Amino acid sequence: MPVFSRISSFVSHLFHRRAADQRLDEEVDSYLRMLIDDKIAAGSSAEEARRLALLEMEGLTQVKEKTREARSTALIHSLLQDLRYGSRFLLRRKSFTLFALLTLAIGIGINTAIFSVVNVVLLEPLPYAESNRLAIIWSVFKSAGLSRAPASGHALAEMRTRSRLFQDFGGIWVGSGSLLGEGEPEQIRLGEVTWNFFSVLGARPAMGRLFLPQEEGHGAATVILSDGLWRRRYGADPRIVGSTIRTAGGTLTVAGVMPPDFELIFPPDASVPANIQAWIPFPFPIEKGPRDLNFIRVIGRVRPNVPLPQAQAELDNIAGQLRSEFHEYSEQDLNLQALPLHGDAVNEVRPALLALFGGVGLVLLIACANVANLLLARACERTREMTMRRALGASRLRIVRQLLTESFLLSFLGGAAGLGVARLLLKSLPALWPNALPRINAVALDLPTLLFTSALCLLTGLIFGLAPAVGSSSVHLLDALKDSARIAGSARIKLRRLLILGEVALAFMLLIGAGLMIRTFVGLLKVDPGFDSANVLTFAV
């Protein structure tokens, strides 16, 4: 059959089923009359000819059903029929449906919320160009027992000169500055950077340009503003680029404005906050500063197709050269360590997030066991229904498919409600963990999260629906018809007991984990800091 004819037949059977069934009835009746005429012509009576024709066709209903099952749309129509029947079943049992939906909504919603956090924080790459090539460079001073220290400006300059496997290095130091004019004086968080810091990072301004090489080391003259500062203090003036602003250190020319979603993502112990409000080039030549003045956080971008272990071996050689050439580095026993920027930035929160993700997974399993118990209880009430369907010719596979369709329908309805629960949880996350998680404000119900929720609904429906479906389809016909379904029901009772044991075991595991975490937290609160902290405050000027 040509492709166009197949498509036309598919569309006709899908959207015009009644007309197709009417044509089928006419074709079968016409074929039956033809067989009857042949039997009459062969000498049979009209009644006998009809009986022989029906025997030869093996029944009118059977022929029509076989023809419908052979259609390309048979599975779709069967699925729609199962969905309609499942919907009526759930609507008739409102209390059961509401309790099951509430259970699934909580389990799926919590898992969706935590996955969206795990996806943004741990799985998605950093929001910089080719962020997999970014590394943070730590100075290791073995003589002082420091393994994650900043670098000096001289060491940064030497790395730039000697490295062949890194495309470039950039550095940043975070301090504070004061804005004057355009309202009340304001203290802001100010980042002093190398001129190439943003290009090494792989970030571009939304307006204006980045710093130029000649703007570093000759006094502060230019500044790049964050989007938040530009909007709040300067009213989102589009003419800000090229204009001047007054600071306590002098007048600065605005070179550019960063995008609204730009933030610096560094490890917590790097002391580089995400919410820096402005950046200026280093006003002095950092390479000429003291070799043992370590204050710059260094990032590097490896060249394409260069693995980080190979780049680390080069840094080891550079550190050895510096120790042999400069006594300051020899006294400090300087070593250099390169770590992936993304991996190092989330290194502290990864175990907690993965443990939390595993914990909410156990919560979902408990929810599935609860719903499976409810379905098994309902299956006992439906024993005679399933028996009659088997007696009328429904195959075991057909009944399993019907019951699994009901389970999947319930699971996806619970998933839809779970998205609402996840949305509420995600709104509260920035308030609960304002600074503990990087990119917490970027967490949202995006496409990967929706795909995860869909897969979770499928898996959940299969988990809690498979046992009741298989159990209901395996009822012995003779026992059920004799009202002896208690024989088959005993297997369901055993399965329900196993599910309850599984629920108790999972809940016990969660309680033990929560108890240990609370005990650890209480222990931390009781740690003696070595001084009396009562009524002692800290402040910054």
Side-chain angles (χ1 to χ4, degrees):
M1 181 183 294
V3 176
F4 180 78
S5 299
R6 291 182 179 180
I7 296 175
S8 177
S9 175
F10 179 84
V11 173
S12 176
H13 290 155
L14 183 62
F15 297 103
H16 306 286
R17 185 183 180 185
R18 290 185 179 178
D21 288 343
Q22 185 177 356
R23 289 195 300 270
L24 175 62
D25 292 340
E26 294 173 355
E27 292 174 2
V28 172
D29 291 342
S30 175
Y31 183 68
L32 177 63
R33 287 194 299 269
M34 183 182 70
L35 286 179
I36 293 174
D37 291 342
D38 290 342
K39 304 299 181 184
I40 292 175
S44 300
S45 64
E47 183 178 351
E48 180 68 13
R50 181 176 178 80
R51 186 182 70 83
L52 293 174
L54 289 175
L55 288 175
E56 184 175 337
M57 293 181 63
E58 298 182 353
L60 290 178
T61 303
Q62 288 80 356
V63 170
K64 294 178 182 180
E65 285 299 318
K66 289 180 180 179
T67 304
R68 293 190 185 100
E69 290 176 359
R71 292 173 180 171
S72 56
T73 59
L75 183 60
I76 297 176
H77 286 303
S78 178
L79 179 61
L80 292 176
Q81 182 183 12
D82 291 344
L83 288 174
R84 287 194 296 268
Y85 184 82
S87 301
R88 291 196 297 268
F89 169 78
L90 295 178
L91 289 174
R92 285 197 303 268
R93 294 159 177 83
K94 294 183 176 62
S95 58
F96 159 79
T97 303
L98 288 176
F99 186 81
L101 287 180
L102 180 62
T103 303
L104 291 174
I106 293 174
I108 295 176
I110 295 176
N111 275 268
T112 299
I114 299 303
F115 172 80
S116 62
V117 176
V118 170
N119 181 52
V120 170
V121 177
L122 300 184
L123 302 181
E124 285 188 357
L126 296 179
Y128 311 127
E130 297 182 90
S131 61
N132 59 312
R133 293 167 51 198
L134 287 174
I136 183 168
I137 314 299
W138 293 100
S139 297
V140 180
F141 300 125
K142 294 185 178 179
S143 60
L146 299 176
S147 59
R148 295 170 66 87
S152 65
H154 179 268
L156 172 56
E158 291 294 332
M159 281 187 273
R160 283 178 173 174
T161 303
R162 299 171 188 257
S163 176
R164 297 293 178 268
L165 299 181
F166 280 88
Q167 183 174 308
D168 207 347
F169 295 91
I172 182 173
W173 177 79
V174 182
S176 61
S178 298
L179 292 178
L180 307 176
E182 291 88 15
E184 294 293 326
E186 178 183 355
Q187 188 178 51
I188 62 171
R189 190 165 285 170
L190 183 66
E192 296 185 10
V193 298
T194 56
W195 72 269
N196 65 338
F197 175 78
F198 291 107
S199 58
V200 172
L201 195 62
R204 300 292 305 175
M207 297 172 53
R209 60 171 176 83
L210 297 177
F211 296 125
L212 303 176
Q214 59 270 24
E215 293 175 339
E216 180 186 338
H218 302 287
T222 54
V223 63
I224 292 178
L225 305 178
S226 69
D227 181 82
L229 180 64
W230 170 58
R231 294 182 183 276
R232 176 175 54 79
R233 188 170 179 94
Y234 301 102
D237 184 0
R239 299 168 298 176
I240 191 70
V241 175
S243 63
T244 59
I245 62 174
R246 291 174 56 205
T247 69
T251 301
L252 300 176
T253 300
V254 178
V257 178
M258 296 306 292
D261 56 349
F262 175 77
E263 62 177 338
L264 294 179
I265 302 172
F266 276 67
D269 55 347
S271 300
V272 179
N275 57 341
I276 297 176
Q277 294 158 295
W279 298 265
I280 61 172
F282 280 110
F284 56 89
I286 57 175
E287 67 278 2
K288 296 181 181 180
R291 299 188 185 101
D292 56 356
L293 180 59
N294 303 294
F295 67 102
I296 300 177
R297 302 296 178 179
V298 179
I299 58 170
R301 178 176 287 272
V302 298
R303 295 188 182 277
N305 303 320
V306 174
L308 194 58
Q310 186 177 350
Q312 177 63 57
E314 183 188 57
L315 286 180
D316 293 338
N317 292 331
I318 293 175
Q321 296 169 14
L322 294 178
R323 289 195 303 269
S324 63
E325 296 177 19
F326 305 99
H327 71 277
E328 292 91 345
Y329 300 135
S330 178
E331 290 178 354
Q332 296 172 334
D333 196 8
L334 171 67
N335 285 272
L336 299 172
Q337 183 182 26
L339 296 175
L341 182 59
H342 185 195
D344 203 32
V346 300
N347 186 51
E348 292 186 5
V349 300
R350 180 184 285 110
L353 280 181
L354 293 180
L356 186 60
F357 195 36
V360 297
L362 293 180
V363 171
L364 182 60
L365 287 178
I366 294 174
C368 290
N370 268 316
V371 177
N373 265 323
L374 291 174
L375 288 176
L376 282 171
R378 288 295 177 187
C380 293
E381 301 177 6
R382 303 178 70 182
T383 300
R384 295 189 63 84
E385 173 195 343
M386 296 304 154
T387 304
M388 291 301 297
R389 296 182 69 174
R390 289 289 303 278
L392 291 174
S395 66
R396 181 177 179 181
L397 180 62
R398 183 68 181 83
I399 293 177
V400 169
R401 194 180 74 185
Q402 170 64 49
L403 295 176
L404 281 180
T405 301
E406 295 175 9
S407 300
F408 286 133
L409 177 62
L410 186 63
S411 177
F412 275 95
L413 290 175
L419 289 177
V421 174
R423 187 176 181 85
L424 293 176
L425 290 175
L426 292 181
K427 284 185 177 181
S428 63
L429 279 180
L432 294 175
W433 293 333
N435 299 314
L437 295 176
R439 292 195 285 173
I440 186 64
N441 293 319
V443 175
L445 296 178
D446 52 8
L447 180 60
T449 303
L450 295 178
L451 292 177
F452 169 80
T453 305
S454 300
L456 197 63
C457 291
L458 285 173
L459 182 61
T460 301
L462 186 63
I463 290 175
F464 71 71
L466 189 59
V470 174
S472 296
S473 66
S474 59
V475 174
H476 193 277
L477 288 178
L478 184 59
D479 290 338
L481 290 173
K482 290 180 178 179
D483 286 332
S484 300
R486 61 182 182 275
I487 299 175
S490 62
R492 294 197 189 100
I493 294 174
K494 292 179 181 178
L495 183 57
R496 292 176 63 186
R497 289 174 178 172
L498 288 176
L499 288 173
I500 293 174
L501 287 175
E503 287 185 69
V504 172
L506 292 173
F508 192 62
M509 290 172 58
L510 285 176
L511 286 175
I512 290 177
L516 290 175
M517 292 182 68
I518 293 174
R519 180 180 177 184
T520 302
F521 180 70
V522 172
L524 289 174
L525 293 178
K526 294 181 179 180
V527 170
D528 184 5
F531 59 91
D532 184 7
S533 60
N535 300 323
V536 176
L537 305 178
T538 64
F539 64 94
V541 177

